[in-house]
């Protein structure tokens, strides 16, 4: 059941395992995801964080027998989903960068000059007092 439970991770990562027997009859199983050989992108730190389960051997076997419905299967599904989202975001970010890089820098356009008005200026002529009732 262990390998079947880990197949979703194996499609994306190389996996390492660590088994440690505890003093009280427990076992700690640690699954360590790593970048797969030939992978195009580097996984994020959260994607390759080790997964540890500590329980009795029988409890671990029982949990693994649940497959995708067990805690390990659900955790793997969540990580796979997050990994897919990260890959999509990276692809979208690269897609937005590509058009910007391919366009040549266009010269800045000068601001248009204000249009000349046929109406008289509201500013008073030199020597004339300002009025509160100017139109």
């Amino acid at each position: 059941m262990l390998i079947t439970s880990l197949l979703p991770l194996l499609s994306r990562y190389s996996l390492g395992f660590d088994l440690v027997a505890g003093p009280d009859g427990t076992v700690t199983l640690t699954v360590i995801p790593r970048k797969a050989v030939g992978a195009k992108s580097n996984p994020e730190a959260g994607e390759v964080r080790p997964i540890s389960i500590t329980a009795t051997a029988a409890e671990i076997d029982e949990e693994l027998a649940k497959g995708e419905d067990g805690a390990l299967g659900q955790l793997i599904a969540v990580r796979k989903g997050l990994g897919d989202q990260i890959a999509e975001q990276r692809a979208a970010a690269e897609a937005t960068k590509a058009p910007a890089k391919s366009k040549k820098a266009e010269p800045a356009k000068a601001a248009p000059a204000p249009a000349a008005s046929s109406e008289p200026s509201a500013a008073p002529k030199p020597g004339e007092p300002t009025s509160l009732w100017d139109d």
Side-chain angles (χ1 to χ4, degrees):
M1 255 320 159
L2 176 63
I3 303 304
T4 304
S5 297
L6 296 174
L7 277 176
L9 277 179
L10 283 171
S11 66
R12 175 171 277 156
Y13 311 103
S14 173
L15 300 175
F17 297 95
D18 188 30
L19 285 170
V20 178
D24 54 355
T26 60
V27 175
T28 299
L29 166 65
T30 304
V31 180
I32 307 158
R34 294 182 211 127
K35 179 181 175 181
V37 175
K40 294 179 182 176
S41 64
N42 288 328
E44 296 291 325
E47 291 181 81
V48 293
R49 189 171 185 172
I51 301 167
S52 291
I53 300 173
T54 301
T56 65
E59 290 170 335
I60 291 174
D61 286 343
E62 181 182 326
E63 190 62 35
L64 293 176
K66 294 177 184 176
E68 293 179 2
D69 295 329
L72 182 61
Q74 291 177 1
L75 181 59
I76 290 169
V78 168
R79 283 196 177 182
K80 185 175 183 314
L82 290 173
D84 291 343
Q85 288 177 0
I86 290 169
E88 289 171 8
Q89 290 175 351
R90 282 183 182 152
E94 288 300 317
T96 58
K97 289 180 185 177
K101 288 180 181 178
S102 66
K103 287 184 180 179
K104 292 183 179 178
E106 295 181 16
K109 294 181 181 178
S117 174
S118 60
E119 295 182 19
S121 173
K125 294 180 184 175
E128 288 184 4
T130 56
S131 170
L132 296 176
W133 295 277
D134 279 340
D135 292 336

